[in-house]
Amino acid sequence: MKDPNYYLEGLIHNEEHIVQEIYQKSFNKVLVFIGKNNGQRADADDIFQKALMQIIVRAKTRPFQITSSFEAFLFVSCRNLWRRELNKKRKEVTNYSIEEQVSEERDIALSVLEQERWEFFQEKLKLISENCQNILKSYFKKIPYKDIAQNFGYNSENVARQRVFKCKNKLVQLIKTDGKYMQLKLL
């Protein structure tokens, strides 16, 4: 497995063989995800391109290191972009007023910000206990409290609710006490 920053550097310097390798390793996962979430091949092509552009722009404006695998980093970027695209389409269908189209540059900037917020959240999630991490992951997947209680050996749904509440509070406290939180919040 290659260093994820190898791919990042290859993208920044537009090294064709590295870009092709990224496509070969990652595109099909993105295509499957978008296909399962109301998208087509053309959507996957667009999202994949936007994600690569977002990563390049971010790396050139604020250099960073990828701590996970490059494939995972790229997939999360694509997933976030596709979710934003779906939300935008939903708003266009339900909002009949005339809306200003978001420029491509602004869209990339918003994507970069969203990615930074996601990474910050993931960083803080890793700081709470493993038990709390697993409980919150179940909660975020919208697993019913009854099932959470059963999976974690709690006596009742109320105990599961209390545990989720305490874990969320720990996570929120870690997030809000970090100076980076205010920077990301204000952007």
Side-chain angles (χ1 to χ4, degrees), residues 98-111:
I98 298 172
E99 290 186 28
E100 178 183 325
Q101 293 296 323
V102 177
S103 71
E104 193 69 25
E105 296 83 17
R106 184 167 186 257
D107 199 36
I108 288 174
L110 289 172
S111 297

Side-chain angles (χ1 to χ4, degrees), residues 10-24:
L11 266 180
I12 293 168
H13 296 101
N14 199 22
E15 295 180 33
E16 189 174 330
H17 70 282
I18 293 177
V19 174
Q20 286 177 343
E21 191 176 336
I22 291 169
Y23 265 89
Q24 289 171 347

Side-chain angles (χ1 to χ4, degrees), residues 121-132:
F121 174 80
Q122 290 297 315
E123 176 187 316
K124 295 304 171 191
L125 184 62
K126 289 177 183 175
L127 296 177
I128 60 177
S129 71
E130 189 174 335
N131 182 263
C132 270

